Amino acid sequence: MSNTLVIKITGKLFDTNASLIKKYVEIFKDLSGKYKLAIITGGGGLARKYIGYAREIGVSSNYWLDMIGIRSAQLNAYLLISSLYPKAYPEPVNNLEELLRIMNNYEIAVLGGLIPGQSTSSVALEVAEALGVSKVIDYSAIDKVYDKDPLKYPDAKPYDKISIAKLREILRQKQLPGEYALIDLRALDIAERSKITIIITHYKKPNTIYDILRGENPGTIIYP
Amino acid sequence: MSNTLVIKITGKLFDTNASLIKKYVEIFKDLSGKYKLAIITGGGGLARKYIGYAREIGVSSNYWLDMIGIRSAQLNAYLLISSLYPKAYPEPVNNLEELLRIMNNYEIAVLGGLIPGQSTSSVALEVAEALGVSKVIDYSAIDKVYDKDPLKYPDAKPYDKISIAKLREILRQKQLPGEYALIDLRALDIAERSKITIIITHYKKPNTIYDILRGENPGTIIYP
Amino acid sequence: MSNTLVIKITGKLFDTNASLIKKYVEIFKDLSGKYKLAIITGGGGLARKYIGYAREIGVSSNYWLDMIGIRSAQLNAYLLISSLYPKAYPEPVNNLEELLRIMNNYEIAVLGGLIPGQSTSSVALEVAEALGVSKVIDYSAIDKVYDKDPLKYPDAKPYDKISIAKLREILRQKQLPGEYALIDLRALDIAERSKITIIITHYKKPNTIYDILRGENPGTIIYP
Amino acid sequence: MSNTLVIKITGKLFDTNASLIKKYVEIFKDLSGKYKLAIITGGGGLARKYIGYAREIGVSSNYWLDMIGIRSAQLNAYLLISSLYPKAYPEPVNNLEELLRIMNNYEIAVLGGLIPGQSTSSVALEVAEALGVSKVIDYSAIDKVYDKDPLKYPDAKPYDKISIAKLREILRQKQLPGEYALIDLRALDIAERSKITIIITHYKKPNTIYDILRGENPGTIIYP
Amino acid sequence: MSNTLVIKITGKLFDTNASLIKKYVEIFKDLSGKYKLAIITGGGGLARKYIGYAREIGVSSNYWLDMIGIRSAQLNAYLLISSLYPKAYPEPVNNLEELLRIMNNYEIAVLGGLIPGQSTSSVALEVAEALGVSKVIDYSAIDKVYDKDPLKYPDAKPYDKISIAKLREILRQKQLPGEYALIDLRALDIAERSKITIIITHYKKPNTIYDILRGENPGTIIYP
Amino acid sequence: MSNTLVIKITGKLFDTNASLIKKYVEIFKDLSGKYKLAIITGGGGLARKYIGYAREIGVSSNYWLDMIGIRSAQLNAYLLISSLYPKAYPEPVNNLEELLRIMNNYEIAVLGGLIPGQSTSSVALEVAEALGVSKVIDYSAIDKVYDKDPLKYPDAKPYDKISIAKLREILRQKQLPGEYALIDLRALDIAERSKITIIITHYKKPNTIYDILRGENPGTIIYP
């Protein structure tokens, strides 16, 4: 599907105030005239709160903890949908087959998550692979990829460009429900096998998508 | 369906800490041995937060604002389900026909909401009517029905028992999405036409359900 | 959804002969070139017959009696659909979320009913609210709103225009399944909160829709 | 599925008064304690009325005319369901895969029809074949099979027993939507290939099912 | 639905090598610019293999044997879909109501089968009837209709044109799951009642569809 | 869900003759009296054939190639289901939420696959995690885990027991659609995070499941 943008937004967007969310809504309305948009929202603070609740009331199954994360991300997705209908499909899309069924008839599709054990990044890569799109725009919690987690290590070195193979080496952190790092191994596997480029940019700079569409690099390009 | 309890819980339960939610989970597990349970959760603070977000990003349609309320209530429902499966049907039930399909095979069904323009109370009354149950246990934000809103008027007079007709007179407040009063006119219409009794008790006293099952009255009985 | 007409037709249309139904089909085909149509059909005599059957064979639950009314209305809806496909979505729409999903891709959607405890008018108002339409065209069993039920009181006084608040005062009749009055309180609640105007006209004068579209008033305008 | 009865009832039952329908409801409730029941209802006069309407408003497609017949039969099915829930699955079953999904969990399933171009008899035979049941009890509009249509020819000769092959020769009438004869060729094909016996009895004698269950023959046995 | 082609392809296509399948994909892509396509694939050798497996492991129910045939045909359908998306609906269509729902929004729909007891030809005729199309292009295992089965009888006489009535006389073979002859009685019934012409051509000559669209007759025309 | 066995069977089973499949059917029927079974089938030779076809007709998308693999595995699943109904749910289960919905009411559920980019092993681990089962019985193409691929290296050394961490080091092969190695990294991630033990045994020795149920080790135990 040429002319389709796959856009992942960290759930952190929904932990801020509504004005930033409103900015994204304006951008999506503007872009949806020229592009089809497949938007993937993370669970953010809502996911962490409800996953925390679940652990406290005795839930230890990773299936249920992940599903609570997915359902939280779907509430964030629904918030976007409420302001984008009728351009947007009126419900969070639940699986890839439903995505392919509706993309013909809608300009915007919004997903929260697909299946337990997947990060929001993996979902975005699966969406890109299913739609035959070779690029994912990743509004992340950091502005660039660093050799170490910049939120923990001030001396972390930023990359403008990095290969999937190189990044894979860096990514040895453990993935636990709700607290995914920058991107996970599984997402990189999909990007590699389907030659999908990931462009990391900071979620607090929503306009950087226009730079990307002009071929510029506001953050880090992860290339296959 | 004899031996079925219909239990409505105000969304405020999910604004507190997990320990009170855990108490409810224990009670439901205990009761589910002897009764079938149909539980209806409100949206609480989560609904108000996301409805507020939606208004700020330009959503004014009562359909979408109500649907955000329903989806928030369904996340609260999903939290309960995660700790009650396999006794509970593994998803929030979306409509009355689905409820009737699954009640044969599950001990517990949990709903968030059914359709825009309905309070959590109306949903509970529709559930009771569909299941042929003549009583709704309403864990409310107040311990009793008063002649005025006790949260606003300290001199409000409590009722142990009150008829639907009498309560209807008291209830002249405007219903707006997400900020429903004690109970709404529509809920009373359903209770009246299908002769359903509503027992109000305070959500901070989860054990009062055992008093009710022994025929006692911990709060207010609203009778047809 | 600009350019969308929400049209309610009393079930009585289907108690007459086919020639009047055919007239409506021609009008809908004509209008569907310029407008999207969301049509809501009542159950009429078919609903009353089958609800009567149900009572006789021992069904007393208002859930089941209302659902039989909805299913009867859906058979009437299906009759219209059979003559309007492929312009019309090929099945009676079951809920508001399905309505929003299909309205992008079809010129005509036809509904029978949504949930027990609702009149055909409430369904029409919920449809208008969900689609963001500020007007409902109500082909009713009477030509105008009167201060009393004209079918029972010959001296009933007609209104050209009436406010929702004023009409609410007049509407103190009891609502029982299958025998709804002109319009019910719940429908007015939705019209009021979403500022929807209802235009009453007589179902035996199908062409009056063209007057309405020219801004004229063939019956009574109920305004928020 | 041993211990399952497949019961076809002509739509004419629903053209009579409710007392006969009530009789069937009592029998089904009684039998459902010992047997699982798969009940197939015809469209009867309702189907003919609405098919007639459809033709008058310009519908000539056999697909749509048959589907109106199926939907009418489903309203008759729904009437039975309303009085048999929670023993009965709460909706008319739409296809054989859904039938197999629910038969494990419900004592009674009721169908109206499956696909255009099929008589109610074919539906009953497909149901028996799918459930692995070797007998269909056919409450027909005639008490026995005759060598000619007894409604048109007073000298028609009755059979107590007749082979499928023999009956096939007799059955050269044209099948048109809504006006099926006793049984159609397609139904006999299914009965033959899966060795299913059909027991014809008159719908005005509902108690004859007890004779059949005792191994007696109140009407005609059509054997493979 | 004017401008729609209904095309049946024998499952034997999928027993050959991929190059012939590729030819069909190119033709469908080319035609889908000017026509809507409803394509019905047979089960072929895959169906026979898995039906054989099923018999060997003890399955004797014609329901299950036919459903294995349908699921095999759906895998063949899915293979075509994988190369025709996004022009094609992304899944094998399961029933006629789904077909009518999607044909508005997709250029190509592919089906494997609908219900047990039906040949691929019957499915194609039901599809044509539902879509209001008066012609079915039947890529068959033989180039023409003969008075006897040419695969068994070298002296079989070919027909350029044959009436449904005449062909019905020839068709006295027994239909068993997976081993259908040229066309079955049921398919002819549908063709007759809805006046649908069937054009037989050989599946090893995919380009003959262009002859047919020019009004020529590469094989046999079966007319009502 | 205590008393539930999660059993993965390599697709190679369906490349052999039916007698081995029949053996498995007998074992599953026997076990289903004492255990609930969740069975996951691979795609085997059928998947490779159809994925090969797809590549030849120009399909390069990993989404579609994987989905063809999943649909092939679902045909294998359906073959098992046809001989296990009514103990088995009558269709291949499509996702984890459907699995949890049906496990209450069926003794056996059979899956083919869940989502592109997953091996059959990952599916089995996700199923075990969702059902809260701490063991997966993996009928694999090899009898034990070796330090190198025994199909390629005769001197490969077998393990009776091996930790997930140790196996992870061995597993550096590239995963490509349809040609998965013994087990993939993603499956080990799920096993590790939810402490699930995998017992490898050879698919040509179906009875080894009884050894496993007696606590013996016919192959290799991969432990968290």
Side-chain angles (χ1 to χ4, degrees), chain F residues 13-70:
Chain F
L13 167 64
F14 302 90
D15 305 339
T16 64
N17 56 54
S19 60
L20 188 56
I21 302 172
K22 191 168 186 183
K23 188 60 197 143
Y24 274 94
V25 167
E26 284 153 14
I27 290 173
F28 294 148
K29 282 182 179 171
D30 173 49
L31 288 174
S32 71
K34 286 149 266 167
Y35 300 90
K36 284 212 179 220
L37 309 182
I39 303 165
I40 302 93
T41 56
L46 178 62
R48 277 189 293 285
K49 177 184 171 189
Y50 272 72
I51 287 170
Y53 264 175
R55 288 190 203 281
E56 278 185 72
I57 65 175
V59 178
S60 59
S61 150
N62 286 303
Y63 168 81
W64 287 102
L65 296 175
D66 270 15
M67 285 303 294
I68 287 169
I70 286 176

Side-chain angles (χ1 to χ4, degrees), chain D:
Chain D
M1 273 198 164
S2 62
N3 237 5
T4 300
L5 299 181
V6 174
I7 303 166
K8 179 220 136 185
I9 315 171
T10 170
K12 288 188 168 56
L13 167 63
F14 302 90
D15 306 340
T16 64
N17 55 54
S19 60
L20 188 57
I21 303 172
K22 192 169 185 181
K23 187 61 197 144
Y24 275 94
V25 167
E26 284 153 15
I27 291 172
F28 294 148
K29 281 182 179 172
D30 173 49
L31 289 173
S32 71
K34 286 150 265 166
Y35 300 90
K36 285 213 177 216
L37 309 182
I39 302 167
I40 301 95
T41 57
L46 179 61
R48 276 188 295 284
K49 178 183 171 190
Y50 272 72
I51 287 169
Y53 264 175
R55 288 191 204 281
E56 279 186 72
I57 65 174
V59 178
S60 59
S61 150
N62 287 301
Y63 168 81
W64 286 102
L65 296 174
D66 269 15
M67 284 303 294
I68 287 171
I70 286 175
R71 295 234 171 192
S72 305
Q74 287 179 335
L75 185 56
N76 291 335
Y78 198 75
L79 181 62
L80 290 184
I81 287 168
S82 71
S83 60
L84 293 169
Y85 185 81
K87 289 189 176 231
Y89 183 66
E91 288 154 46
V93 171
N94 276 308
N95 56 59
L96 295 174
E97 293 200 292
E98 183 183 6
L99 178 66
L100 267 59
R101 282 201 302 269
I102 65 136
M103 277 310 271
N104 261 20
N105 314 328
Y106 281 90
E107 296 170 57
I108 303 175
V110 191
L111 300 92
L114 292 172
I115 194 169
Q118 267 197 334
S119 69
T120 311
S121 302
S122 299
V123 174
L125 268 306
E126 296 241 18
V127 164
E129 183 175 79
L131 294 177
V133 171
S134 62
K135 188 162 58 182
V136 166
I137 297 165
D138 184 341
Y139 283 107
S140 172
I142 54 169
D143 53 356
K144 282 184 179 285
V145 171
Y146 292 75
D147 57 356
K148 284 175 287 186
D149 186 339
L151 302 184
K152 292 175 193 161
Y153 307 95
D155 66 336
K157 187 172 69 61
Y159 291 94
D160 286 334
K161 294 192 114 189
I162 185 168
S163 75
I164 287 173
K166 176 66 182 158
L167 181 54
R168 186 178 281 131
E169 279 164 42
I170 301 178
L171 279 180
R172 287 301 166 237
Q173 294 168 338
K174 189 70 61 190
Q175 271 83 39
L176 285 174
E179 298 121 33
Y180 286 107
L182 156 74
I183 194 164
D184 60 311
L185 293 172
R186 179 160 154 64
L188 291 185
D189 284 351
I190 302 164
E192 184 170 63
R193 79 170 190 167
S194 288
K195 299 185 181 39
I196 299 169
T197 299
I198 305 157
I199 303 159
I200 302 284
T201 185
H202 202 283
Y203 80 97
K204 289 186 175 169
K205 300 176 202 155
N207 280 315
T208 48
I209 194 166
Y210 291 107
D211 311 332
I212 293 169
L213 294 177
R214 282 193 298 272
E216 297 159 28
N217 172 14
T220 300
I221 294 177
I222 307 169
Y223 57 92

